[in-house]
Amino acid sequence: MREELHNLRNEALALIQEAPNSQELESLRIAFLGRQGKINQFLKELKNLPQEEKKQVGQLINEIKTTLEKAINHKSFTPQPAVNQKLDFDPTLPGKKPPQGHLHLVTQAIEEIQRIFTDIGFIRVRYPEVEWDWYPFTSLNMPPGHPARDEWETFFVDAPQDSKYGKMVLTPHTSSGQVREMKRLGKPPIRMINIAKCYRRQQDMTHTVMFHQFEGLLIDKNVNIPQLKGVLDYFAQQFYGPKRITRLRPFHFQFTEPSFEVDINCPLCLGKGCKTCKSGWHELGGAGMVHPNVLKAGGLDPQKYTGFAFGWGVERTYMMRSDIKIDDLRLFYSNDIRFLEQF
Ligand code: PHE
């Protein structure tokens, strides 16, 4: 019987030691120490023993009982969250900041460009990315079959054609918003800044299939080229810094007359010419005075109104300012967090 009792004790202690939670522990307590428990079974058998043994075995049973009670009462489950955490928590320590993200650099650039132009009265709009051919081409003095259309390596959408507006395209430039804005407002003054996604069949170091442009359009009575130049210089100074100015270089677009390419002076030599820029100037984008045919397409009288327009790429505009050299435009859209984190 003694041996059985020793075995019982060892078994019980091992089970208590390993009990994973308080429910298990409670069922062990019932199994060993409860009224129908194993210890009580032994106590019942005690009366069959001779007087001498009865005393000793009785003592042993009582010892085992207290040992098991102690083991159960002192059993702790690790981890003991409530107690330990309370002791470890120091409310005076500064908090740990979770990592904080930021807007994509193109979104940052768009917001800044929008602010610069809305500060001087332009109104931010955006027009459809999937557009009728008429808006980016025909309404801009480029009828179907006109060779100038080739410049805008356009994606055509496989969709039914409209009798007036023609095929559907993914808009290849924000100039598609010019006539839309004239039609929306009906009459000048028009001061539009249209910033939107554009699509062209192109993909290399300096081009992506999808990119962004911003387009300014101002139409009113007596709008002239010096005003265009003033707005462009204002933008150059706001976006690139106080010493930057623009230069208009004669060019050709079907939808402006006269037309210009807009250059900005080099940040290093400010236009004098240096090793990095050679000519002193970097090309920014296109601009010009709105062609009379475009005003007519928008329902405006070219005898009464004149206007200017300008437009160019958001990504390129940003690249030309960035302190961190971005030599591949495709990085903007490769979703590499190591690249994006730098801005
Ligand atoms: N839409 C022209 C382009 O994508 C740029 C431009 C805009 C030129 C407005 C003149 C006036 O190249």
Side-chain angles (χ1 to χ4, degrees):
M1 194 157 168
R2 274 168 213 257
E3 199 169 336
E4 278 176 66
L5 276 166
H6 283 298
N7 287 344
L8 176 85
R9 190 191 60 181
N10 293 346
E11 187 202 1
L13 283 176
L15 287 171
I16 291 165
Q17 172 90 26
E18 276 165 29
N21 53 43
S22 49
Q23 288 104 298
E24 288 287 342
L25 193 65
E26 176 60 12
S27 43
L28 287 174
R29 196 187 61 76
I30 293 167
F32 288 98
L33 303 171
R35 206 179 302 156
Q36 312 287 335
K38 292 190 176 163
I39 296 284
N40 271 355
Q41 299 288 313
F42 279 100
L43 280 174
K44 274 179 204 155
E45 282 177 60
L46 211 56
K47 60 177 185 296
N48 307 327
L49 294 179
Q51 195 58 30
E52 261 301 286
E53 286 233 332
K54 215 187 242 175
K55 214 177 147 196
Q56 287 175 11
V57 175
Q59 237 171 22
L60 181 64
I61 293 178
N62 277 334
E63 267 172 40
I64 294 175
K65 208 174 158 185
T66 29
T67 310
L68 295 188
E69 272 167 1
K70 269 191 194 157
I72 287 173
N73 291 341
H74 290 108
K75 162 87 179 166
S76 65
F77 298 100
T78 47
Q80 240 185 357
V83 179
N84 282 351
Q85 262 177 21
K86 249 186 206 153
L87 293 176
D88 290 349
F89 178 63
D90 178 354
T92 62
L93 279 176
K96 278 186 200 148
K97 278 198 187 142
Q100 204 174 18
H102 61 70
L103 293 173
H104 190 277
L105 55 167
V106 171
T107 313
Q108 290 178 36
I110 288 174
E111 288 191 348
E112 193 176 340
I113 293 165
Q114 171 174 340
R115 182 200 50 81
I116 290 171
F117 286 107
T118 53
D119 274 0
I120 55 167
F122 284 83
I123 291 157
R124 166 82 197 271
V125 295
R126 65 192 82 178
Y127 283 115
E129 288 171 37
V130 185
E131 182 57 291
W132 299 107
D133 173 292
W134 194 80
Y135 287 98
F137 293 117
T138 312
S139 76
L140 296 178
N141 209 22
M142 291 183 276
H146 196 285
R149 287 173 166 238
D150 286 357
E151 288 280 310
W152 288 271
E153 298 163 285
T154 309
F155 286 109
F156 286 87
V157 178
D158 192 2
Q161 213 165 305
D162 182 88
S163 56
K164 177 172 179 201
Y165 296 110
K167 294 177 179 164
M168 293 213 92
V169 301
L170 298 185
T171 194
H173 61 165
T174 43
S175 301
S176 59
Q178 290 191 13
V179 169
R180 279 204 175 266
E181 184 73 346
M182 294 178 211
K183 290 190 161 189
R184 182 177 77 88
L185 292 175
K187 67 182 195 19
I190 291 170
R191 298 184 208 96
M192 169 189 91
I193 185 79
N194 173 26
I195 315 180
K197 288 193 177 80
C198 300
Y199 300 84
R200 293 187 199 175
R201 202 171 60 82
Q202 54 183 21
Q203 179 92 336
D204 55 41
M205 293 266 284
T206 53
H207 299 92
T208 48
V209 167
M210 186 282 296
F211 61 105
H212 295 77
Q213 278 194 337
F214 62 100
E215 179 99 4
L217 175 71
L218 189 139
I219 301 172
D220 208 339
K221 289 178 180 149
N222 307 316
V223 175
N224 55 40
I225 295 172
Q227 291 166 356
L228 165 64
K229 177 74 163 65
V231 168
L232 296 175
D233 281 345
Y234 160 79
F235 174 75
Q237 277 148 30
Q238 290 281 315
F239 194 82
Y240 291 104
K243 294 199 173 133
R244 309 300 288 281
I245 48 162
T246 59
R247 172 179 86 168
L248 299 180
R249 191 160 35 81
F251 199 69
H252 174 262
F253 293 107
Q254 275 295 114
F255 40 96
T256 43
E257 181 58 37
S259 301
F260 310 103
E261 284 216 301
V262 183
D263 295 334
I264 183 163
N265 58 345
C266 164
L268 301 174
C269 64
L270 298 175
K272 287 191 202 86
C274 65
K275 266 188 208 146
T276 52
C277 66
K278 293 188 184 92
S279 72
W281 299 87
H282 296 287
E283 188 191 317
L284 267 183
M289 301 305 289
V290 181
H291 194 287
N293 287 353
V294 178
L295 293 171
K296 275 189 220 158
L300 301 180
D301 181 356
Q303 300 297 330
K304 230 165 126 184
Y305 298 111
T306 48
F308 63 70
F310 56 87
W312 59 90
V314 171
E315 291 83 352
R316 239 180 77 77
T317 300
Y318 189 89
M319 275 163 90
M320 286 171 65
R321 183 180 72 180
S322 174
D323 294 333
I324 301 158
K325 196 167 182 296
I326 308 169
D327 43 21
D328 191 336
L329 201 135
R330 291 169 295 193
L331 280 169
F332 280 93
Y333 300 112
S334 60
N335 270 347
D336 187 336
I337 202 85
R338 291 166 304 176
F339 170 73
L340 296 172
E341 266 172 356
Q342 300 174 84
F343 299 91

